[in-house]
Every structure is written in C-alpha cells, then in structure tokens.
Amino acid sequence: MKIAFIGLGNMGGGMAANLVKAGHEVHAFDLSADAATRAQDNGCTVFPTVREAVAGVDAVVSMLPNGRIVESVYTADVIGHAPSGALLLDCSTIDVDTARKVASAAEAAGYEMVDAPVSGGIAAANGGTLTFMVGGPDAAFARAEPILAAMGKAVIHAGASGAGQAAKICNNMLLGASMVATCETFRLAEKLGLDLQTFYDISSKASGQNWSMTSYCPVPGVGPQSPADNGYQGGFASALMLKDLRLAMEAAQSVGAQVPMGEKAEALYASLAEAGEGGRDFSYIIKTL
Ligand code: NAD
C-alpha cells in the first residue's frame, strides 16, 4: 500500500519506520527537517508538502501534537487533496470534539476516517507494540485494522467516531490519578516507618495493587525496573500526562461528569510543569509529595 505519514516526531518516526518494515511505501512529511531526514534514513520517501505527500496514496496516517494542528492539516491539505477513496487515520491524542469535527468534514467529502490514539510510549512506537483504541464506523475500522496492526500489538474498536479519543483520555485520567495515589501511599508508608520493599511485597499482593505500583513503581530500587531507577528520565513525560489530564477535564466539563480525583491529579501535574519538571517521567510526582 502507499501510505502518507504526517508528523514524524518521537512517536511518528518509529511508527512510519514500522510501516516501511511491513512492506508499505511510505510518503512522509514533517515541518522539521531533522525529523524528515530520520524518516528518509528509515526508508520513507520525504515530500516537501502535505499535499504532495498525500497525492495518490491509499491511506493517510497522522501523529501530530494537538487538535488545532490536526484540524488545520486535515482541512487545509488532506481533505480534497488525498484521493477520494483514501482511508484517513489520525493517531494523535486530541480532544473528542475536534476528532468528531474532522471526521465529519472528511465523511462529508467522501472519505472514511478513524481516530486511533495509542497507549505505549516511544519504545512501543519503535518496537511496533503500541495499543490502538479506534473510533469510527465498522467499515472504516475493518480497513484501518491491518494498517494499525503493523505498528502495534493490539487494535481495539472502541466505538463510533471520537470513541478512540474518549477511551484514551479516560484511561490516562485513571493512570494519572492512580500514580498520584501510589506515590502518596509510599510517602505515608515511609513516614510510618515501613520498609518500602516490604510494603511493596505486601501491597502488590493485596487490594492496593495497581499498574502504577507493580509495573511502574515510582520508588527507586523497589519493584521492576522503571524510570524511577533511571533518575525519572525516559518513560512518559509529565507534560504529556498534563496534556491528557487537561483533555479529560475538558471532556468531563462538556458532559457534566464529576471527576474530583482527575482534577486533583491535573492540578498536581500543572504545578510540576510550572516548576520546570515537565520533561521528567510522570512518576516524578512522588518528589512533590
Ligand atoms: P513530537 O513533538 O515528538 O512529534 C510531533 C511531530 O509533528 C514533530 O516532528 C513536529 O515537527 C510535527 N509537526 C507539528 N506540526 C506539524 C504540521 N503542521 N505538519 C507536519 N508535521 C508537524 O510528539 P510525539 O511525542 O511524537 O507525540 C505525538 C502525538 O502522540 C501527540 O498527540 C501525543 O500526545 C501522542 N502520544 C505521545 C506519547 C509519547 O510517549 N511521546 C505517547 C502516547 C501518545
């Protein structure tokens, strides 16, 4: 297949390389010359504009920073410029309303489109082990699945247009809140005089067990290897957790949902970003408690 790939940054670079490895002809575009050069080194053909990259392709995949950019790229340069039968797949994490708005514009112009945000970070993007949560009609999902499977280990149909983004921000709100709860729990355990490895051994086999504790422990030297063992470098940046929590708060407000734990997590990650630590892994929140 000929596939255009727009946005070849930390995530998109590895994803586009995996499409090449799967035998696709990848037409790449990024505003950054460095990102475009890396894509070329990985076997993509780089084009000078989005419109040239999407000409004559079977599908368009995008991995862009935010909803404003996704909307402008699709409305200005993809819709009406990619061939009418091309499938459009946006893998960026963006707000549900913009995802639905762009999909409606695409459908009105005769395209099938899915929102397909990912779980998994840069290592999963490079290794082809992302999890995709997909929103869109059944027929569009059926066409998207084999393309996404070349970049991930799981491709799940979440529901209609926007449902992929809804699942992503709900999952990440739970992750943010559970990381904060795990961090404050270890701090309390420490102040109460517990040995933290011993507390981990107990809680990881008791009802407090959760992913932030047993797969991503925020305490250095406790549990499996995690960013905490590497000075809180790598992993999932606190700034990206803050972005996802803000999207979750916006979504909650738009449907009148009460999310007190999500709100608290958002406030704590906002303080971390203000302190200039947005580049640290999100488990670094333990240092503020
Ligand atoms: P990034 O900033 O590394 O990459 C974004 C790329 O888009 C950059 O190379 C930038 O030059 C390019 N770009 C920006 N505007 C453009 C435009 N108008 N046209 C073409 N290219 C443009 O970001 P990333 O970490 O790769 O994240 C991409 C998306 O994936 C975001 O929506 C993010 O929330 C989501 N995400 C990231 C992670 C992660 O761990 N990094 C995990 C899950 C989801």
Side-chain angles (χ1 to χ4, degrees), residues 212-234:
S212 294
M213 176 186 286
T214 52
S215 295
Y216 213 90
C217 189
V219 182
V222 175
Q225 274 285 317
S226 69
D229 298 309
N230 188 29
Y232 301 90
Q233 302 297 331

Tab-separated table of all heavy atoms in Angstrom, residues 212-234:
chain	number	residue	atom	x	y	z
A	212	SER	N	0.457	1.250	38.364
A	212	SER	CA	1.481	2.249	38.703
A	212	SER	C	2.442	1.700	39.760
A	212	SER	O	3.599	2.095	39.819
A	212	SER	CB	0.839	3.538	39.231
A	212	SER	OG	0.097	4.163	38.208
A	213	MET	N	1.945	0.793	40.589
A	213	MET	CA	2.804	0.192	41.601
A	213	MET	C	3.611	-0.975	41.027
A	213	MET	O	4.839	-0.992	41.108
A	213	MET	CB	1.948	-0.321	42.770
A	213	MET	CG	2.742	-1.046	43.837
A	213	MET	SD	1.677	-1.771	45.083
A	213	MET	CE	1.190	-0.320	45.985
A	214	THR	N	2.936	-1.933	40.404
A	214	THR	CA	3.627	-3.188	40.091
A	214	THR	C	4.321	-3.220	38.740
A	214	THR	O	5.177	-4.073	38.513
A	214	THR	CB	2.650	-4.388	40.172
A	214	THR	OG1	1.521	-4.100	39.370
A	214	THR	CG2	2.215	-4.654	41.588
A	215	SER	N	3.973	-2.313	37.809
A	215	SER	CA	4.680	-2.282	36.528
A	215	SER	C	5.558	-1.050	36.395
A	215	SER	O	6.359	-0.966	35.470
A	215	SER	CB	3.685	-2.290	35.360
A	215	SER	OG	2.971	-3.488	35.347
A	216	TYR	N	5.371	-0.044	37.273
A	216	TYR	CA	5.986	1.260	37.010
A	216	TYR	C	6.300	1.946	38.336
A	216	TYR	O	6.054	3.139	38.492
A	216	TYR	CB	4.956	2.081	36.223
A	216	TYR	CG	5.529	3.046	35.217
A	216	TYR	CD1	5.769	2.646	33.905
A	216	TYR	CD2	5.800	4.368	35.565
A	216	TYR	CE1	6.265	3.546	32.973
A	216	TYR	CE2	6.294	5.259	34.637
A	216	TYR	CZ	6.513	4.850	33.338
A	216	TYR	OH	6.996	5.738	32.411
A	217	CYS	N	6.810	1.160	39.288
A	217	CYS	CA	6.914	1.668	40.668
A	217	CYS	C	7.691	3.003	40.745
A	217	CYS	O	8.792	3.120	40.208
A	217	CYS	CB	7.586	0.619	41.548
A	217	CYS	SG	7.487	1.094	43.266
A	218	PRO	N	7.097	4.018	41.400
A	218	PRO	CA	7.747	5.342	41.470
A	218	PRO	C	8.909	5.417	42.463
A	218	PRO	O	9.551	6.465	42.567
A	218	PRO	CB	6.592	6.258	41.898
A	218	PRO	CG	5.654	5.377	42.648
A	218	PRO	CD	5.747	4.023	42.003
A	219	VAL	N	9.162	4.325	43.215
A	219	VAL	CA	10.246	4.348	44.210
A	219	VAL	C	11.472	3.641	43.627
A	219	VAL	O	11.380	2.471	43.241
A	219	VAL	CB	9.812	3.611	45.512
A	219	VAL	CG1	10.918	3.674	46.546
A	219	VAL	CG2	8.514	4.190	46.045
A	220	PRO	N	12.625	4.332	43.557
A	220	PRO	CA	13.823	3.683	43.008
A	220	PRO	C	14.174	2.416	43.790
A	220	PRO	O	14.053	2.386	45.016
A	220	PRO	CB	14.929	4.735	43.188
A	220	PRO	CG	14.230	6.019	43.449
A	220	PRO	CD	12.881	5.700	44.023
A	221	GLY	N	14.566	1.363	43.079
A	221	GLY	CA	15.031	0.146	43.745
A	221	GLY	C	13.922	-0.750	44.251
A	221	GLY	O	14.190	-1.807	44.821
A	222	VAL	N	12.673	-0.353	44.052
A	222	VAL	CA	11.542	-1.176	44.510
A	222	VAL	C	10.733	-1.600	43.298
A	222	VAL	O	10.510	-0.794	42.384
A	222	VAL	CB	10.644	-0.383	45.498
A	222	VAL	CG1	9.412	-1.172	45.883
A	222	VAL	CG2	11.433	0.008	46.746
A	223	GLY	N	10.326	-2.870	43.252
A	223	GLY	CA	9.531	-3.367	42.111
A	223	GLY	C	10.406	-3.543	40.877
A	223	GLY	O	11.637	-3.557	40.964
A	224	PRO	N	9.762	-3.675	39.697
A	224	PRO	CA	10.538	-3.908	38.471
A	224	PRO	C	11.289	-2.641	38.052
A	224	PRO	O	11.040	-1.567	38.576
A	224	PRO	CB	9.457	-4.242	37.435
A	224	PRO	CG	8.238	-3.545	37.933
A	224	PRO	CD	8.319	-3.559	39.437
A	225	GLN	N	12.225	-2.787	37.091
A	225	GLN	CA	12.933	-1.617	36.542
A	225	GLN	C	11.894	-0.624	36.023
A	225	GLN	O	10.948	-1.015	35.336
A	225	GLN	CB	13.801	-2.074	35.359
A	225	GLN	CG	15.174	-2.575	35.740
A	225	GLN	CD	16.118	-1.446	36.125
A	225	GLN	OE1	16.156	-0.414	35.471
A	225	GLN	NE2	16.851	-1.639	37.213
A	226	SER	N	12.090	0.653	36.345
A	226	SER	CA	11.143	1.678	35.900
A	226	SER	C	11.912	2.986	35.753
A	226	SER	O	13.084	3.073	36.152
A	226	SER	CB	10.022	1.828	36.934
A	226	SER	OG	10.553	2.412	38.104
A	227	PRO	N	11.304	4.044	35.207
A	227	PRO	CA	12.022	5.322	35.095
A	227	PRO	C	12.575	5.826	36.438
A	227	PRO	O	13.575	6.539	36.468
A	227	PRO	CB	10.966	6.260	34.504
A	227	PRO	CG	10.127	5.353	33.669
A	227	PRO	CD	10.016	4.080	34.485
A	228	ALA	N	11.948	5.440	37.569
A	228	ALA	CA	12.463	5.856	38.885
A	228	ALA	C	13.901	5.372	39.086
A	228	ALA	O	14.701	6.019	39.776
A	228	ALA	CB	11.564	5.301	39.991
A	229	ASP	N	14.244	4.244	38.458
A	229	ASP	CA	15.603	3.688	38.596
A	229	ASP	C	16.596	4.391	37.683
A	229	ASP	O	17.775	4.072	37.679
A	229	ASP	CB	15.579	2.177	38.272
A	229	ASP	CG	14.683	1.435	39.242
A	229	ASP	OD1	14.861	1.620	40.455
A	229	ASP	OD2	13.782	0.706	38.780
A	230	ASN	N	16.075	5.304	36.856
A	230	ASN	CA	16.916	5.996	35.880
A	230	ASN	C	16.779	7.512	36.054
A	230	ASN	O	16.737	8.255	35.076
A	230	ASN	CB	16.444	5.544	34.477
A	230	ASN	CG	17.359	6.031	33.376
A	230	ASN	OD1	18.552	6.218	33.596
A	230	ASN	ND2	16.789	6.280	32.211
A	231	GLY	N	16.670	7.948	37.319
A	231	GLY	CA	16.555	9.392	37.594
A	231	GLY	C	15.287	10.004	37.026
A	231	GLY	O	15.243	11.192	36.748
A	232	TYR	N	14.254	9.187	36.842
A	232	TYR	CA	12.958	9.647	36.294
A	232	TYR	C	13.105	10.221	34.885
A	232	TYR	O	12.349	11.093	34.472
A	232	TYR	CB	12.279	10.657	37.248
A	232	TYR	CG	12.017	10.066	38.614
A	232	TYR	CD1	12.970	10.158	39.637
A	232	TYR	CD2	10.848	9.368	38.878
A	232	TYR	CE1	12.753	9.580	40.881
A	232	TYR	CE2	10.628	8.791	40.119
A	232	TYR	CZ	11.579	8.904	41.117
A	232	TYR	OH	11.351	8.320	42.350
A	233	GLN	N	14.087	9.690	34.142
A	233	GLN	CA	14.251	10.073	32.734
A	233	GLN	C	13.547	9.024	31.873
A	233	GLN	O	13.376	7.891	32.288
A	233	GLN	CB	15.735	10.121	32.343
A	233	GLN	CG	16.581	11.071	33.179
A	233	GLN	CD	16.145	12.516	33.043
A	233	GLN	OE1	15.615	12.924	32.022
A	233	GLN	NE2	16.354	13.298	34.104
A	234	GLY	N	13.229	9.415	30.628
A	234	GLY	CA	12.563	8.474	29.718
A	234	GLY	C	11.132	8.235	30.168
A	234	GLY	O	10.576	9.009	30.946
